């Protein structure tokens, strides 16, 4: 985002919250536009900032979480998949992180239905030179596993043995955390 727009980001995020509450049935085009705009406001493409920037980014993150929770999971997937499919997207890492959130909130049949469109961009992003993007991919795949379980494993054939080992480590950690929390 343009730093000169910092003063407008928070009011815009608040406006999106109001629109979401007033219009509960959004089209996929509207939801995709909202998701992309909020991700662009969440940081990613600008460095530095100050208190006003951090407040605006925090507000945009909150509005994005509310929006994704508000949309039907299919609309959230439709809004995020184009953003995670572009390896040059300035919002790739935050889009991947929010994709994990959407996956965890979706019922297993919806996640299973989305696998064909979801996995190819995740596999492509796994080849990123940026460590935070690769980690976001791993966490998104762990989220998929937490919803559909071992039904995910046959779909991971395109991954290399080191990538599979990394995913297995994170899945084991996630399972241990869930057991400790009494969720398993």
């Amino acid at each position: 985002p343009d730093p000169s727009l910092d003063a407008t980001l928070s009011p815009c995020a608040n406006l999106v919250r109001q629109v979401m509450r007033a219009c509960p049935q959004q089209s996929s085009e509207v939801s995709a536009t909202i998701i992309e705009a909020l991700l662009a406001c969440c940081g990613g493409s600008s460095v530095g900032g100050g208190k006003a920037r951090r407040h605006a980014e925090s507000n945009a993150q909150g509005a994005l979480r509310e929006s994704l929770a508000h949309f039907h999971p299919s609309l959230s997937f439709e809004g995020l998949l184009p953003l995670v499919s572009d390896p040059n997207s300035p919002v790739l890492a935050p889009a991947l992180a929010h994709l994990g959130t959407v996956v965890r909130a979706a019922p297993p049949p919806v996640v299973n239905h989305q696998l064909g469109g979801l996995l190819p961009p995740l596999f492509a992003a796994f080849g990123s030179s940026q460590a935070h993007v690769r980690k976001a991919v791993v966490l998104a795949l762990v989220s998929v596993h937490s919803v559909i379980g071992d039904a995910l494993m046959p779909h991971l054939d395109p991954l290399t043995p080191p990538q599979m080992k990394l995913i297995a480590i994170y899945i084991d950690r996630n399972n241990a955390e869930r057991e400790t929390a009494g969720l398993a």
Side-chain angles (χ1 to χ4, degrees):
D2 180 346
S4 67
L5 297 178
D6 285 354
T8 62
L9 292 180
S10 288
C12 287
N14 286 329
L15 177 63
V16 167
R17 283 186 168 114
Q18 291 174 10
V19 168
M20 296 306 306
R21 291 177 188 136
C23 305
Q25 300 299 324
Q26 300 293 330
S27 70
S28 61
E29 186 176 306
V30 170
S31 62
T33 302
I34 289 171
I35 291 168
E36 186 171 7
L38 287 172
L39 276 168
C41 294
C42 289
S45 62
S46 76
V47 177
K51 191 173 184 178
R53 162 65 58 180
R54 287 189 302 276
H55 177 71
E57 289 176 358
S58 175
N59 206 349
Q61 285 280 0
L64 181 59
R65 278 190 301 275
E66 282 184 39
S67 297
L68 292 172
H70 176 80
F71 294 139
H72 184 278
S74 296
L75 290 179
S76 294
F77 280 115
E78 285 180 35
L80 286 170
L81 285 177
L83 300 173
V84 300
S85 297
D86 179 2
N88 299 314
S89 171
V91 296
L92 179 58
L96 286 166
H98 285 288
L99 182 63
T101 302
V102 168
V103 166
R104 286 188 304 278
V110 171
V111 175
N112 275 316
H113 180 72
Q114 295 291 334
L115 284 180
L118 176 65
L119 294 178
L122 290 178
F123 295 158
F126 217 155
S128 172
S129 62
Q130 299 176 356
H132 68 284
V133 169
R134 293 191 307 272
K135 184 174 182 179
V137 169
V138 170
L139 296 176
L141 289 170
V142 169
S143 294
V144 172
H145 184 272
S146 73
V147 174
I148 66 169
D150 288 338
L152 170 66
M153 303 317 274
H155 298 281
L156 301 181
D157 285 343
L159 298 180
T160 66
Q163 290 170 329
M164 284 298 299
K165 183 171 180 151
L166 183 62
I167 290 169
I169 289 168
Y170 274 84
I171 287 172
D172 289 345
R173 276 189 199 163
N174 185 59
N175 289 341
E177 289 171 6
R178 290 171 54 92
E179 285 178 20
T180 302
L183 299 174

